[in-house]
Amino acid sequence: MLGAFRSNVAGTVAQRLSLRVGLSLAVGVILAACSGPGADVVGTTQSPVAAGELESVAVVTHGSAGDAFWNVVKNGAEAAGKELGVAVQYNSSGDPGQQAKLIDNAVAQGVDGLVVSMANPEALRLSVERAVAAGIPVVTINSGESESAAYGAFAHVGQSEGLAGQAAGRRLADAGRKKLLCVIHEAGNIGANQRCDGATRAFGNGATLQVDINNPTDAQSRINGALEADRSIDAVLTLNSQVAARAVDAVRESRSAATVATFDLNTDVVEAIRAGALLFAVDQQQYEQGYLPIVLLQLYRTNLNTVGGGTPVQTGPGFVDADNVEAVATLVAQGTR
């Protein structure tokens, strides 16, 4: 899916300075909440550059076309670009090779900053390193936290997937569930594997099931088959809001008593939580994964600021359940949650 360049937004110098100060403070609050006094600090290294203006940013993600999750990321990036007067170009591909080509194209265009999600880090390594070598500052988002600094990115914005998986597994165990099925929707997605590994480790008794997000009918059939084959499965954890709807249908079709929970939000997930068909959603607040990197690139290009000290800027996990779903429902509908 190709994003169009947003036109630069005119503003006075005073307005720009005021906005930058406010956003800098917001980032500082987030970082303070994410890294306590006992956090490990490994430092950040970046190539020496001269301070300048940030005029254009390419955002290249591994999102599939029409994926509600990535649409929210795009909305966040474009909103930050509009507020800061930065042209943001959003492109995505679920194919790692094509994603690498999109990064190479952005480098050839001479963008001032690059934002990349790395679900398959090794496939993107050379392209990201070429961007860094060309003097383009890079922020990674969502996936590839462990490889981010090694590839030359100066910051990572996202959710530590293993920790988020553990939190989800504990909540399902606390709900009295005994056997977990964790559904992976993208082969080769390192973040998906980390989520399921964390969930099964914390839950204590679980198995994984591979499905294809691009074939939702087959995904539902596979989940249905797993539930019919093993009636002791009483918890299903999906890693994507679109797959969650299929899991809910599979539980109904198989006449299973399993509880369903998911990662990520969309309007269907909100309605399923309201109806009691989903116990909770793990919300990594992906709007921030689009919005914050544009702010961080602006601060880096104009003031040579870095953040995190080598640790990620955490956007999650948060949880949406019956207790707070109404508070976020309107925000989900407007494309910011």
Side-chain angles (χ1 to χ4, degrees):
M1 178 172 56
L2 296 179
F5 272 106
R6 299 298 297 263
S7 60
N8 289 346
V9 177
T12 66
V13 172
Q15 289 172 326
R16 290 278 182 91
L17 289 174
S18 176
L19 180 59
R20 289 174 187 171
V21 169
L23 291 174
S24 299
L25 290 173
V27 171
V29 171
I30 293 169
L31 291 174
C34 295
S35 301
D40 293 332
V41 178
V42 298
T44 301
T45 301
Q46 70 282 336
S47 300
V49 298
E53 292 299 315
L54 182 72
E55 297 182 354
S56 62
V57 172
V59 180
V60 183
T61 77
H62 66 274
S64 302
D67 190 314
F69 176 92
W70 290 104
N71 286 342
V72 175
V73 175
K74 179 184 178 183
N75 291 343
E78 291 183 342
K82 183 177 181 180
E83 292 173 8
L84 293 172
V86 176
V88 173
Q89 181 188 31
Y90 180 95
N91 291 288
S92 66
S93 175
D95 178 270
Q98 182 61 29
Q99 192 185 1
K101 290 180 181 178
L102 292 171
I103 295 170
D104 292 339
N105 290 342
V107 173
Q109 293 169 10
V111 295
D112 297 321
L114 181 64
V115 180
V116 182
S117 68
M118 300 198 302
N120 191 321
E122 185 56 32
L124 305 184
R125 180 176 62 83
L126 291 178
S127 294
V128 172
E129 289 178 346
R130 280 193 288 265
V132 174
I136 300 173
V138 178
V139 176
T140 57
I141 62 170
N142 185 262
S143 301
E145 170 190 331
S146 298
E147 294 78 11
S148 176
Y151 290 5
F154 76 87
H156 179 83
V157 179
Q159 171 180 266
S160 291
E161 303 294 10
L163 296 178
Q166 290 178 40
R170 283 193 295 269
R171 283 181 71 107
L172 286 167
D174 290 344
R177 304 299 89 187
K178 302 301 182 183
K179 188 169 185 179
L180 171 67
L181 179 68
C182 190
V183 183
I184 297 176
H185 60 277
E186 286 178 342
N189 184 330
I190 187 172
N193 291 321
Q194 290 168 343
R195 288 178 178 181
C196 275
D197 288 347
T200 54
R201 187 180 306 115
F203 189 87
N205 180 23
T208 59
L209 175 69
Q210 180 73 57
V211 303
D212 183 359
I213 190 174
N214 296 309
N215 191 342
T217 301
D218 183 65
Q220 182 174 325
S221 177
R222 288 177 179 272
I223 298 170
N224 190 345
L227 294 173
E228 289 182 343
D230 187 350
R231 289 292 176 179
S232 68
I233 295 173
D234 58 2
V236 177
L237 178 64
T238 64
L239 310 180
N240 174 275
S241 55
Q242 291 171 277
V243 180
R246 296 294 176 166
V248 168
D249 290 342
V251 166
R252 183 173 59 251
E253 287 181 358
S254 64
R255 299 177 183 270
S256 169
T259 295
V260 182
T262 190
F263 278 72
D264 304 334
L265 287 171
N266 65 9
T267 54
D268 289 338
V269 167
V270 167
E271 291 306 317
I273 292 174
R274 282 170 163 166
L278 269 173
L279 183 62
F280 63 78
V282 182
D283 181 18
Q284 61 178 299
Q285 302 181 105
Q286 70 270 28
Y287 186 85
E288 293 181 337
Q289 294 178 18
Y291 190 99
L292 290 178
I294 310 303
V295 177
L296 301 185
L297 285 166
Q298 174 83 326
L299 291 170
Y300 180 75
R301 289 288 299 193
T302 61
N303 208 45
L304 301 184
N305 290 130
T306 60
V307 296
T311 62
V313 179
Q314 298 281 359
T315 65
F319 287 88
V320 177
D321 56 21
D323 291 335
N324 63 353
V325 66
E326 296 304 329
V328 301
T330 301
L331 302 174
V332 172
Q334 73 183 24
T336 59
R337 288 294 293 270

